[in-house]
Structures are given as C-alpha cells and as structure tokens.
Amino acid sequence: ARSLPMGTMGSSDPPPGSVELFVCGRLCLLGEHSDWAGGFRSSNPDIEKGYTLVAGTNEGLRAIVSSLPDPDASGVLSMTSTTDTGERRTRTFDLRDPGSLLEEARAGGFWCHVAGTAHHMVTTFGAKIANARVGIDIDNHDTNLPVKKGLSSSAAVCVLVARAFSRVFDLGLTIRDEMDAAYHGERTTPSRCGRMDQACAFGPGRVSLLSFDGDDLDVTPIEDVGGPDGFHFVLADLGAGKDTVRILRDLQAAYPTASTDEYRRLHELLGSFNAKTCAAAVDAMARGDARELGEVYARAQAAFDKRAGAVCPTQLGHLGSPKLRAVLTSSKMREFAWGGKGVG
C-alpha cells in the first residue's frame, strides 16, 4: 500500500540540448466512467453530464527528450520505454508514414499508445514537424507508476509523447492541448477511454473536479481538501487484475440510448447519482469531514457494484471483484478507515 503524497518531484539536470519531462499518474477519487458517459451527450442530450474527482500521483514517468539533428534521423521517432519493473525496450517509428503508425495503434500491444499519439501529432502538426527537419528521441529512463492498476499509465505515456513533440518541434501546446492530443492518440488504440485519464497532465498533488459535456471538458481546482489537517488517502494494490477493454466494451454497450432496465440503471448511476455523489464529496472535503467522505465512498461503491456489476459481471461487482469486496467489508479495515472504493 502507499499513501498519496502531495508535492512535486525533483530531478537532476538533463544533458545539454535536452529536456527532462515528468508525467504523473492519475488517481480517480470518484466518478469512474462518467467521463466517457458524459461524452455521449453529443448524440443523446438526455444523458446527464459526467463528473469526476481526480488527483495527480507522485508516481509517474521520467524521460529525457531531445531532437535528432542528423539528416538520416529526420522524420524519425526513437522511443525507449522503461516499465515499472525495470524492463527497457526501444522502438523506432517513421513519422513520414502515418498509415503505419495508425496500424500499430489499432493493433494494440506494447507500443500502441506511443504510435497512436505520434499519429495524431503528425496528422495534426505535420507541416511544422516536417519543416523542423529533425527527429525526436524520447528516453523514458525511469518509471515507478504501476501499469494496469487504474492509475492511467497508458494516458501518462500519451501525454508524455504529446509533451515531448511540443517541446522538440516548438508546437507551443498548453496543458489542455496536450490532454486533447493524448486523448485522441489513445482513442486510436483498442482502449476506448474517456477524457478523465489525461488529467495526469496537470501534475502531481493537484485535486480537480472535472465535468464532461459531450466534447467539452471543464476543470475546477479543489483548493480545500480536508481543512488544515488534510486527508490521507491510502492506495492499495490488491494483487488482482482487470480487463479494461472488456469493462469499457460492456458498459459502453448501454450508450447512447438505454434499451434495457439494466442499461437505464447504469445511465442513472453514471449520471444523476454520480453528480450528487461528487457534489457531496466536494462538500465533505471543504468541511474537513472525513467520516462523511468515507460514507460517500461507501454509498458510491455499493451503487457501482450493483448497477455496473450487473452490466459487466465478469469484471465488476461482487462476482467480478471479490478481492475488493473482501477488503472493503473487512472488520480490520473498518478500524482504520471511514470508507473506501475501487479504483479504475
């Protein structure tokens, strides 16, 4: 288990002509799946807006980014990735062949998020990238963000690639621009994510309330978190697994129009119920009421287990996440926490 610290991460100076980047993970405090659900308002305005409470983690990806001035490297992306277990892999991509980038992204696999984001960058900023007449090297030399644990490790990779392109090719992207580029990059992969995951671009220790209305994203920073003493959120790895692609496929089958009672209950869960739940959590944070926040968490998890679990029983709910249920109902945990919920 690890506590969620608030602060910034330091690093040594990168080599001359290079820049060191850090992209953190994203912890969803409340509102999972309401981001993409709110995105369906573009085709069905009867769907409620989505709301999520998110915080940046101190864990993340560190990379040294530099241009490749050699003429032979022009139009090349060289990416070295280091996993959280220390495994290093290197791959070279031809930025002059967007078709191959798209094919790599759609195929899934280890490099799909890098390829998908690179595809978005070259198809959106192709002229400026080509005129630079340089390549780009991204050396992700250190990673302490766990993968497949609901902390947006894939979105962090996409944000890292978008930010690296912006620095090397002088694209002048804002944080919101980077988030948008990372979102479109990840959407070319088999992962049909919403817009919440890219909140990792905001940096570590920041708590924000995000709202999702079709393609529109609004961000409200949460300044009061727990009063003068703060809150302590403990993030625990239960050693279980999850199939994100399966979860998204099953839940998104209920959208944009609910055709069954189960689907209608899911719309309510990710819509009006979630909106009230996030508002209650923000209020509890502002008042420093840890007990009330714990009760909000307990209500949110119970409703999610019942309604989302009914739509995706192999991955969610009491049947799909028995380890999570065992921990949250444990008498030992109740001695030390007011409440808890699953992540991811």
Side-chain angles (χ1 to χ4, degrees):
R2 58 170 66 88
S3 60
L4 178 66
M6 299 294 179
T8 59
M9 303 300 292
S11 63
S12 58
D13 292 334
S18 303
V19 61
E20 179 148 2
L21 302 180
F22 173 74
V23 179
C24 66
R26 178 277 305 145
L27 175 63
C28 181
L29 302 177
L30 272 175
E32 280 93 349
H33 301 292
S34 73
D35 55 338
W36 57 256
F40 277 106
R41 283 174 54 82
S42 297
S43 52
N44 181 2
D46 291 333
I47 295 173
E48 296 275 351
K49 291 182 182 180
Y51 295 91
T52 63
L53 271 171
V54 299
T57 69
N58 271 25
E59 295 84 1
L61 288 69
R62 291 177 179 79
I64 294 176
V65 177
S66 57
S67 62
L68 299 173
D70 190 303
D72 292 338
S74 178
V76 168
L77 163 61
S78 177
M79 174 83 181
T80 298
S81 175
T82 303
T83 68
D84 60 320
T85 60
E87 179 186 0
R88 285 175 64 80
R89 307 186 196 181
T90 299
R91 177 72 182 273
T92 299
F93 300 87
D94 186 352
L95 301 180
R96 294 160 297 191
D97 186 1
S100 67
L101 293 171
L102 183 59
E103 182 179 356
E104 178 88 23
R106 288 177 172 172
F110 186 83
W111 295 103
C112 68
H113 296 94
V114 175
T117 307
H119 174 266
H120 175 77
M121 302 307 289
V122 298
T123 54
T124 305
F125 306 101
K128 196 160 190 177
I129 291 173
N131 290 337
R133 300 184 182 280
V134 298
I136 175 172
D137 180 75
I138 305 173
D139 181 6
N140 166 215
H141 60 87
D142 181 57
T143 298
N144 63 353
L145 180 67
V147 300
K148 297 185 181 298
K149 299 298 180 182
L151 300 178
S152 291
S153 57
S154 58
V157 171
C158 295
V159 170
L160 174 63
V161 172
R163 187 167 293 173
F165 268 72
S166 180
R167 297 294 181 90
V168 167
F169 297 110
D170 195 25
L171 303 180
L173 301 187
T174 65
I175 289 179
R176 294 290 291 272
D177 292 334
E178 294 170 352
M179 292 172 64
D180 188 65
Y183 168 75
H184 284 98
E186 186 160 3
R187 290 284 290 187
T188 63
T189 75
S191 175
R192 309 302 291 171
C193 67
R195 288 185 175 271
M196 170 183 66
D197 294 352
Q198 293 75 33
C200 58
F202 290 133
R206 301 174 186 272
V207 179
S208 303
L209 175 66
L210 310 182
S211 66
F212 309 90
D213 183 356
D215 291 329
D216 295 330
L217 166 66
D218 288 329
V219 181
T220 303
I222 304 299
E223 305 295 342
D224 295 324
V225 181
D229 297 328
F231 282 142
H232 296 277
F233 297 91
V234 177
L235 178 63
D237 184 351
L238 303 184
K242 68 185 182 76
D243 185 343
T244 302
V245 173
R246 174 65 183 271
I247 293 171
L248 291 174
R249 185 184 68 201
D250 287 359
L251 298 186
Q252 289 178 0
Y255 287 79
T257 303
S259 58
T260 69
D261 288 341
E262 284 186 349
Y263 286 177
R264 280 187 282 274
R265 286 190 286 269
L266 182 66
H267 278 227
E268 292 173 358
L269 172 72
L270 302 181
S272 57
F273 176 85
N274 178 68
K276 294 175 183 177
T277 300
C278 286
V282 171
D283 179 66
M285 287 181 176
R287 293 186 289 105
D289 192 338
R291 181 190 291 271
E292 174 59 24
L293 182 60
E295 292 176 356
V296 170
Y297 270 31
R299 292 195 297 270
Q301 185 63 52
F304 188 83
D305 284 342
K306 183 176 181 180
R307 300 190 189 193
V311 177
C312 185
T314 64
Q315 299 291 319
L316 305 174
H318 299 161
L319 295 177
S321 52
K323 281 191 176 182
L324 175 63
R325 176 172 171 77
V327 170
L328 293 180
T329 58
S330 167
S331 58
K332 291 184 178 180
M333 194 207 77
R334 291 176 180 174
E335 295 178 19
F336 302 102
W338 296 122
K341 59 177 284 294
V343 173

